[in-house]
Amino acid sequence: MSRIFITGSSDGLGQMAAQLLVEGGHQVVLHARNKERAVHAMAQVPGAQAVLSADLSSIEETKALAQKLNDAGHFDAVIHNAAVGFSEPRRVATIDGLPHVFAVNTLAPYILTALMHAPKRLVYISSSLHLSGDPSLGDLAWESRRWGGTQAYSDSKLHIVLLAFAVARHWPGVLSNCVEPGWVATKMGGPDATDDLDLAYRTQAWLAIGTSASHQVTGDYLYHQQSAQALRAAFDPALQDRLLQACAQLSGVALPSH
């Protein structure tokens, strides 16, 4: 039995993965954006061990969440599932003055990774749209570029691949992988999505359990439990480290060595 924390598990793929893991007898701690969503999350995943609320667009709340998780004890796996989509019609700034998409999709998983006690397994959720992400990492805070929701989302999903691969390289004792769930009919994906919803959440749960030899991979990009294509630039250690340095500068949190 594993103890697993899942961000963004009040609905969508995070909730589905949580339900599957609870049904499998695992201890699951949920996450929701606020207390109201936390109540909803517990109602939707009966048997979950607990739920913690934090707005991941806030650096302060994300840091506080990491502390709460450390106080709650050891986790075998963390699934970084929370994300916001690309439908924002304009650049929305967070309380910290950062673009909302970047803060939630990139910076929050970085902060949680850096501040939480390292689990055995880390799972990050990306998208095939990362292939359209900007590997220059220029102007991460989007202070000067014209806003484009789809591009911002694609960039953030490239960032999460870079983060997963960087952690795999810097923390050899941790299995760190990235998952592409596919384009599925969730609230984010919309009703026209064409991929299999039932398969979309299973790979993240499968990696989080890590009970067989086939699960013991690291630094991989997976789609439906198979290695899939990732942008070639994402494998560049220098680019990975540039993202780590930028996130450390923006958050005031450095990724520790292991």
Side-chain angles (χ1 to χ4, degrees):
M1 179 176 66
S2 295
R3 189 163 186 249
I4 301 161
F5 173 63
I6 309 174
T7 66
S9 42
S10 64
D11 59 14
L13 299 182
Q15 181 190 100
M16 295 175 191
Q19 291 168 337
L20 181 65
L21 289 164
V22 168
E23 290 169 4
H26 301 281
Q27 295 180 351
V28 177
V29 175
L30 308 173
H31 160 260
R33 184 174 62 253
N34 53 46
K35 291 182 179 179
E36 181 181 358
R37 297 294 297 167
V39 172
H40 171 79
M42 286 298 288
Q44 295 301 309
V45 190
Q49 188 178 56
V51 60
L52 296 174
S53 61
D55 182 349
L56 298 183
S57 71
S58 162
I59 291 175
E60 181 179 353
E61 287 199 35
T62 305
K63 289 178 178 179
L65 175 62
Q67 185 59 58
K68 290 177 185 176
L69 289 162
N70 287 339
D71 292 342
H74 174 73
F75 287 90
D76 298 292
V78 176
I79 301 175
H80 291 282
N81 171 83
V84 292
F86 44 82
S87 59
E88 293 183 356
R90 58 187 176 83
R91 181 185 182 273
V92 177
T94 69
I95 192 172
D96 302 300
L98 297 171
H100 191 234
V101 173
F102 173 79
V104 175
N105 294 10
T106 303
L107 197 59
Y110 167 83
I111 293 170
L112 290 174
T113 299
L115 292 181
M116 284 184 67
H117 300 318
K120 299 174 185 176
R121 298 174 290 278
L122 284 163
V123 183
Y124 300 87
I125 308 303
S126 186
S127 162
S128 61
L129 287 175
H130 89 275
L131 296 168
S132 301
D134 179 8
S136 75
L137 301 186
D139 194 17
L140 286 176
W142 282 76
E143 293 174 347
S144 60
R145 286 191 288 177
R146 192 171 71 176
W147 171 255
T150 301
Q151 187 61 54
Y153 180 81
S154 299
D155 290 352
S156 73
K157 289 305 179 181
L158 173 58
H159 300 160
I160 210 69
V161 181
L162 289 166
L163 176 59
F165 289 179
V167 172
R169 183 166 54 86
H170 285 287
W171 295 357
V174 175
L175 302 179
S176 174
N177 295 287
C178 207
V179 172
E180 175 189 326
W183 182 34
V184 291
T186 60
K187 181 171 64 177
M188 183 184 296
D192 297 327
T194 56
D195 277 354
D196 189 331
L197 180 60
D198 184 60
L199 292 176
Y201 58 90
R202 294 184 180 275
T203 302
Q204 55 177 287
W206 174 74
L207 286 170
I209 296 169
T211 53
S212 68
S214 62
H215 299 67
Q216 306 305 308
V217 296
T218 193
D220 202 359
Y221 182 87
L222 299 105
Y223 172 72
H224 295 352
Q225 300 182 12
Q226 300 290 329
S227 293
Q229 179 187 6
L231 189 70
R232 179 173 294 185
F235 295 94
D236 180 358
L239 188 61
Q240 295 165 14
D241 287 347
R242 279 181 55 207
L243 178 71
L244 297 183
Q245 291 162 8
C247 288
Q249 182 176 8
L250 289 167
S251 66
V253 177
L255 187 77
S257 57
H258 280 275

